[in-house]
Amino acid sequence: MKRKLMLLSWLVASVTGITFLDSHDTSPDSINAVALMGAEAFMSGNEALVIDTTSPASISTASKSAMNFISNSVDVVVCGTFAFFGLSTKVRAVSAGGSAQRQENIGTNVVALAQESGTNDLLYVLCDSCEIHLYDVDPSSKLSLKEQTSAMGGTSTDIEVKSSIVYISCTTFTAAFDFSTSPPTGLWKLAATTAAQAVFAEDNPGPLYVADKTVVRIYDLSSGSPTEAASVGGFTDIQDIFVVRDLLLVADMGTPGFSAYKITSPTPSTPVFEYSDMGCSSGLGITTDSNYIYVACDDSLNVYSIDTLTPTAVPTAVPTAVPTRSEERRVGKECRSR
């Protein structure tokens, strides 16, 4: 009985709530990704935008600036004191407030960008044909090529980095590389049964989340290679996935709103949160303290708070008397004899 109460206490304490706070209208601009730097949110899309997020609950009244020198960007990521935008064959850096900084020519089409948490001077760029570039970022935002993998074919879709392990997804496979070595070492390559759209690694080694348009598959990497452990489906056009605290967040362009799933050992349960009173979602951004979710929804940026609910007091089973050793042995014999 006491064991069951302890389990119940853990379950109550781990409950997470998501609350819609406010929405910022970005029309006529269409946004596809969001990255957070300090109190500012940088958005990529047909025009690059930056807004003040100091007051998440009143973001609708926040100041918005358009960076007209950036158009048709495919992704944005924060690295140190700069936000980097991927556009065509270039990467453009901006500083706080949206001030233009350096623009670097990558030489091939940029598909997605990544930056490893805890590092401020390394930028990963996924290019066409699943070619990966790693750049050193200096204090002036200049990029210096540090490592580069060969093109592997396929149509690139997403990139994720955890502990120098780089995970990439494309239409025909998902792969992992160790960038702590020079040159980078290929770890594994998993053929895709359906075209992968997004990838997210919760940690190293895993679990790894890979999404196609309709299903998120969860892989166990403890053996060194991916083994499918669970999946959650029912989506239409997944654009982005993210794991924060104990929630799997899914942005779906084919269905209004986004969903959050409770992760349990490691199978996600039914949605614990679904919000549909907004446009179709295409990108997710999470604050470094994991307290707020920013959702790019085509023509708006919506903000939500993540609240760990205060657990209710759970009584602890306390025995009225502590049995002696002889009593314990006697009870055991009685149980066995029955």
Side-chain angles (χ1 to χ4, degrees):
M1 181 64 179
K2 184 176 180 180
R3 192 174 182 179
K4 291 182 180 178
L5 286 171
M6 290 174 64
L7 177 61
L8 177 60
S9 177
W10 179 85
L11 289 172
V12 173
S14 67
V15 172
T16 305
I18 298 178
T19 305
F20 172 71
L21 296 180
D22 203 5
S23 178
H24 195 295
D25 183 7
T26 62
S27 60
D29 301 305
S30 177
I31 58 176
N32 54 37
V34 56
L36 303 163
M37 183 169 68
E40 293 181 315
F42 292 83
M43 292 162 279
S44 59
N46 66 326
E47 185 174 44
L49 304 171
V50 57
I51 66 171
D52 182 0
T53 66
T54 305
S55 301
S58 57
I59 198 173
S60 56
T61 59
S63 59
K64 177 182 73 173
S65 299
M67 292 168 278
N68 298 319
F69 51 89
I70 299 176
S71 60
N72 299 318
S73 52
V74 296
D75 201 7
V76 58
V77 68
V78 167
C79 188
T81 57
F82 302 100
F84 288 90
F85 290 81
L87 55 156
S88 184
T89 59
K90 300 177 177 62
V91 172
R92 186 66 184 262
V94 300
S95 55
S99 300
Q101 300 297 323
R102 301 180 65 93
Q103 179 170 280
E104 302 284 351
N105 186 16
I106 302 301
T108 185
N109 282 331
V110 176
V111 176
L113 307 172
Q115 184 265 343
E116 185 173 356
S117 177
T119 62
N120 292 319
D121 56 358
L122 295 175
L123 177 69
Y124 295 81
V125 181
L126 177 63
C127 303
D128 273 350
S129 299
C130 295
E131 181 180 308
I132 310 168
H133 296 189
L134 171 60
Y135 294 91
D136 279 318
V137 182
D138 78 3
S140 70
S141 75
K142 181 180 179 180
L143 302 182
S144 300
L145 184 63
K146 184 177 181 179
E147 299 287 355
Q148 179 178 339
T149 64
S150 301
M152 293 177 284
T155 302
S156 310
T157 55
D158 200 12
I159 182 171
E160 172 74 5
V161 187
K162 283 290 190 299
S163 302
S164 298
I165 306 300
V166 176
Y167 304 92
I168 62 170
S169 61
C170 79
T171 54
T172 54
F173 63 85
T174 303
F177 294 84
D178 185 353
F179 267 71
S180 67
T181 64
S182 184
T185 305
L187 299 178
W188 48 261
K189 185 177 179 181
L190 177 68
T193 54
T194 54
Q197 295 285 99
V199 61
F200 184 88
E202 191 171 1
D203 202 350
N204 178 40
L208 180 71
Y209 301 79
V210 180
D212 58 28
K213 285 185 177 294
T214 61
V215 178
V216 181
R217 292 179 172 84
I218 305 172
Y219 293 91
D220 181 0
L221 300 179
S222 58
S223 66
S225 59
T227 301
E228 186 171 338
S231 65
V232 56
F235 304 101
T236 304
D237 188 5
I238 297 174
Q239 295 293 304
D240 200 7
I241 53 177
F242 203 98
V243 175
V244 57
R245 297 186 184 175
D246 55 355
L247 295 174
L248 166 64
L249 309 179
V250 182
D252 184 0
M253 270 297 288
T255 306
F258 81 103
S259 302
Y261 290 78
K262 191 84 169 176
I263 298 171
T264 55
S265 303
T267 306
S269 64
T270 54
V272 296
F273 176 86
E274 288 181 301
Y275 193 85
S276 60
D277 188 18
M278 61 183 190
C280 300
S281 53
S282 57
L284 300 164
I286 314 296
T287 54
T288 54
D289 59 10
S290 299
N291 286 338
Y292 298 98
I293 308 169
Y294 287 83
V295 183
C297 299
D298 191 25
D299 59 356
S300 68
L301 180 68
N302 301 303
V303 59
Y304 304 79
S305 64
I306 308 176
D307 309 304
T308 299
L309 305 180
T310 303
T312 55
V314 178
T316 302
V318 179
T320 56
V322 178
T324 64
R325 298 286 297 176
S326 60
E327 286 176 331
E328 288 180 330
R329 287 193 292 272
R330 178 171 55 79
V331 170
K333 288 181 180 179
E334 289 176 351
C335 290
R336 284 193 292 272
S337 66
R338 289 172 186 170

